[in-house]
Amino acid sequence: MATPLAAEELARYTTDLQRTPGYPRLRYMGSKYKVVPYLTHLFGGIPFDMALDAFSGSGVVGYALKELGKQVTCNDFLRFPSTVAKAVIENRGVTLAPADVELLLSPNADGRDFIGRTFNGLYFPADDHAFLDAAWSHIDQLPEYKRELALSALCLAAARKQPRGVFTITDVRYDDGRRQMRMPLRELFVEAVAEYNRAVFDNGRVNRAICTDTLQVDPAGYDLVYFDPPYAPPTDDADYIKRYHFLEGLSVYWRGLTIMEETKTKKVTKRFTPFAYKTKVCAALRELFHRFRQSTIVLSYSSNSVPDEHELYNLLRGEKQNVEVYSVPHKYSFGTHEAAQRRDVHEYIFVAR
Ligand SMILES: C[S@@+](CC[C@H](N)C(=O)[O-])C[C@H]1O[C@@H](n2cnc3c(N)ncnc32)[C@H](O)[C@@H]1O
């Protein structure tokens, strides 16, 4: 059994990485911002060159791997995380110039108003919705990477203005006291562009962002795979779409997505993943570990989820000779109710080779 590191001990792990601490911070369920120093410490003890961040989410771990000089592939089956990964992990040097930002802030080029009509009275004031429609009327003119940077900045701006960063709340009057909640989205967008521009760099490698089910990713060629799947809670499900449907829609202007019109939040249909359900997660993890059995596997998992530490260990031992387990305290910054329930949560990090 892993002995949990004390919180003070964890705080002693600082990172030598210069860029990753300034990575544009998207409040994302299960994001690893806080454990990146410890994770990079563990990565430092493993010889590897080609890495897959297989459930990349906010992209912060893939970005840290990029800064470590590795050849990185990021994958997430949602569009907005993979857009972010393309903007800052695959992209080697393209940034948004002042003229691009001016274009994106200019009046609506074709009169589109899908966002204004669909979300009227829900998340943001009408001016903000109008800005999003207008910005999108210019997006398709932008070349690769500029486009992904612009979309990442729009998503970050929208997430920052939304209470707790989740789109389960539709009350426009809700105010959690942050200055971002009172700023126009266009100003938040300009700030976000500056942050994403600063994050762009070339690590001398050919990095990639892909957008598919991890169980479909070709496993060949990775020395190390990092798995941070949704954690299947004992009750409920770990549904990212429920929380981030607006960002997922915004990243593609809802093209190809189905809005569930009967829902108050106007969310899009759920993307099924077996990792989010306690009845399906074990079989999915077994398949995942088998698929990537040629690589060193680093797995993050939460202590109050299914399966437990013992079962995870056995699943990994089914494929790998040597399995080490580390455990770090983890505070979820999610909803007060959830946070209260998860106070004593630990996050396991398994290293299997
Ligand atoms: C715990 S989060 C990853 C957090 C990330 N490591 C970070 O630091 O922000 C899990 C991610 O897995 C993605 N996901 C869930 N099921 C998936 C699947 N079957 N294939 C690919 N991605 C999946 C979700 O969209 C979500 O972004």
Side-chain angles (χ1 to χ4, degrees), residues 44-326:
I46 305 168
F48 70 103
D49 186 46
M50 313 272 275
L52 171 69
D53 180 3
F55 300 84
S56 64
S58 71
V60 69
V61 177
Y63 190 79
L65 288 164
K66 179 176 179 182
E67 195 178 355
L68 287 169
K70 310 299 179 186
Q71 180 155 319
V72 188
T73 299
C74 278
N75 177 59
D76 200 289
F77 74 170
L78 295 186
R79 299 297 298 270
F80 82 92
S82 88
T83 300
V84 171
K86 186 156 176 165
V88 287
I89 294 164
E90 185 177 301
N91 177 10
R92 318 170 71 142
V94 175
T95 54
L96 284 168
D100 302 319
V101 179
E102 215 172 287
L103 174 75
L104 291 159
L105 295 174
S106 67
N108 197 317
D110 54 16
R112 66 176 73 196
D113 63 354
F114 174 81
I115 299 176
R117 274 187 289 111
T118 311
F119 299 101
N120 183 28
L122 288 183
Y123 302 111
F124 305 120
D127 283 357
D128 286 338
H129 291 152
F131 160 66
L132 294 175
D133 276 316
W136 245 107
S137 75
H138 305 291
I139 291 266
D140 287 331
Q141 287 179 44
L142 295 175
E144 198 180 27
Y145 301 126
K146 284 190 190 254
R147 193 188 141 81
E148 282 74 22
L149 282 168
L151 291 171
S152 301
L154 284 178
C155 286
L156 186 59
R160 283 184 174 165
K161 186 155 180 167
Q162 181 64 5
R164 306 202 323 249
V166 293
F167 292 83
T168 48
I169 300 162
T170 52
D171 187 353
V172 281
R173 290 154 308 176
Y174 185 108
D175 188 341
D176 66 9
R178 285 176 301 118
R179 74 176 178 100
Q180 285 106 329
M181 293 203 62
R182 285 177 292 275
M183 284 171 66
L185 262 188
R186 50 194 291 126
E187 283 176 28
L188 286 166
F189 169 71
V190 172
E191 283 189 3
V193 166
E195 286 183 47
Y196 275 114
N197 270 349
R198 274 198 298 277
V200 173
F201 76 108
D202 184 2
N203 74 344
R205 313 299 302 268
V206 179
N207 306 299
R208 278 191 317 145
I210 52 177
C211 184
T212 187
D213 186 330
T214 301
L215 293 171
Q216 306 296 322
V217 172
D218 179 355
Y222 300 111
D223 310 319
L224 180 138
V225 289
Y226 174 62
F227 294 144
D228 187 17
Y231 311 140
T235 54
D236 199 7
D237 61 27
D239 182 4
Y240 280 79
I241 280 290
K242 181 167 76 189
R243 292 168 173 86
Y244 304 109
H245 61 92
F246 190 86
L247 307 182
E248 185 67 357
L250 185 57
S251 69
V252 290
Y253 205 65
W254 284 264
R255 291 187 286 225
L257 299 177
T258 307
I259 292 185
M260 297 162 75
E261 291 297 342
E262 71 287 5
T263 60
K264 191 172 167 223
T265 55
K266 297 279 179 263
K267 64 180 176 182
V268 300
T269 44
K270 196 186 274 192
R271 178 92 200 246
F272 172 76
T273 178
F275 297 100
Y277 300 92
K278 64 175 183 191
T279 51
K280 302 200 161 57
V281 62
C282 287
L285 287 170
R286 190 175 293 115
E287 184 181 341
L288 186 71
F289 300 157
H290 183 69
R291 189 171 182 84
F292 290 92
R293 64 192 178 283
Q294 305 292 353
S295 311
T296 294
I297 295 174
V298 178
L299 167 75
S300 286
Y301 216 74
S302 169
S303 68
N304 70 340
S305 308
V306 180
D308 64 13
E309 178 187 356
H310 187 66
E311 204 170 343
L312 283 167
Y313 179 88
N314 286 337
L315 283 169
L316 283 163
R317 278 288 283 126
E319 299 292 346
K320 309 295 278 183
Q321 284 290 315
N322 184 304
V323 179
E324 293 147 28
V325 193
Y326 304 88

